[in-house]
Amino acid sequence: MYFKKKSEIVVVIVLTLIVLGSFFLLLKSDNLNGLTGADVIRIQTNLAACNTLSTSGDTYILTQNITTTGDGACITIGADSITLNCAGYKISYAAGAANSGMGIDNTGYNSTTVQNCRVEGGSGNGPAISFSNAYRGTIFNNTLITSKIDATGIILSHSGNNSLYQNNITTTGTGADSVILNGTSTGNSIINLNASAGGFAINDSTTGTNTISFDNEFGQLNVTSTNITVTS
């Protein structure tokens, strides 16, 4: 493009600066509203089989019922900031084999969300959901069912600042607790748990400070920690 006058060049430069300024103000506004780049470009991936979820910032959406028959986990969290949304579909683990398989395993990753899942254990005694050395996660609106000895619904081991709320957990095996908190787990919140357990509804043996808040009766508590807060 050819400009005959300097004034025309000045006008073009000013308009360009205005456009760029508006763009950066928009980004700043998004950040002020709690949005980050990961929120803006968050990707959704359909999931139709047991797998390791390894893309940080991704949301994985289950599209059908899935099953694993062997040892290990059906779903393994493999990065920070992952969301698993089962959309009401079922994860069956340790199906047809007496082993220590589990439904969902998160070892060492933070800001994990597990929601809207139905997780059912088979003949093994592994947990439906396990968080180990995991922080700032959310386990929300899940239905967890196990039937074998010591087969726990949710285990938080050496994990902190996680929120467990509106979960329905049935563990009918002898000594099978619905929720276990152990090790140095601290800052965790259990809210509105609906539990039916062969063992304890909540078994807290941690050295940390955790909170239980509920508006319904759900069974026995076994609390050896001296720093737990219980409200109803």
Side-chain angles (χ1 to χ4, degrees), residues 128-147:
I129 298 176
S130 173
F131 275 30
S132 178
N133 293 298
Y135 293 82
R136 299 181 301 280
T138 301
I139 302 175
F140 166 65
N141 194 38
N142 302 287
T143 297
L144 313 176
I145 301 172
T146 71
S147 60

Side-chain angles (χ1 to χ4, degrees), residues 2-23:
Y2 177 74
F3 298 100
K4 293 182 178 180
K5 299 179 180 180
K6 291 183 179 179
S7 60
E8 293 178 346
I9 298 175
V10 171
V11 169
V12 171
I13 292 174
V14 170
L15 290 175
T16 301
L17 291 173
I18 290 173
V19 172
L20 290 174
S22 299
F23 174 74

Side-chain angles (χ1 to χ4, degrees), residues 74-98:
C74 178
I75 298 296
T76 300
I77 303 300
D80 291 334
S81 303
I82 280 178
T83 295
L84 171 62
N85 183 353
C86 294
Y89 287 107
K90 181 171 65 175
I91 296 173
S92 299
Y93 69 97

Side-chain angles (χ1 to χ4, degrees), residues 72-224:
C74 178
I75 298 296
T76 300
I77 303 300
D80 291 334
S81 303
I82 280 178
T83 295
L84 171 62
N85 183 353
C86 294
Y89 287 107
K90 181 171 65 175
I91 296 173
S92 299
Y93 69 97
N99 54 42
S100 57
M102 64 182 74
I104 300 166
D105 177 33
N106 175 22
T107 300
Y109 295 102
N110 304 322
S111 303
T112 299
T113 297
V114 177
Q115 63 186 40
N116 305 323
C117 296
R118 182 180 180 90
V119 185
E120 296 187 10
S123 57
N125 62 356
I129 298 176
S130 173
F131 275 30
S132 178
N133 293 298
Y135 293 82
R136 299 181 301 280
T138 301
I139 302 175
F140 166 65
N141 194 38
N142 302 287
T143 297
L144 313 176
I145 301 172
T146 71
S147 60
K148 296 302 178 182
I149 295 174
D150 298 328
T152 304
I154 299 173
I155 294 180
L156 300 183
S157 180
H158 303 287
S159 298
N161 301 314
N162 297 288
S163 296
L164 285 60
Y165 62 103
Q166 295 181 12
N167 294 292
N168 299 287
I169 305 177
T170 301
T171 53
T172 58
T174 302
D177 302 325
S178 292
V179 177
I180 292 178
L181 297 90
N182 61 27
T184 57
S185 293
T186 188
N188 300 291
S189 298
I190 303 173
I191 303 169
N192 292 345
L193 171 68
N194 184 8
S196 176
F200 296 107
I202 299 174
N203 190 345
D204 183 352
S205 61
T206 65
T207 58
T209 301
N210 299 288
T211 300
I212 301 171
S213 178
F214 59 94
D215 58 8
N216 60 307
E217 296 183 4
F218 54 73
Q220 290 182 300
L221 300 178
N222 181 42
V223 179
T224 57

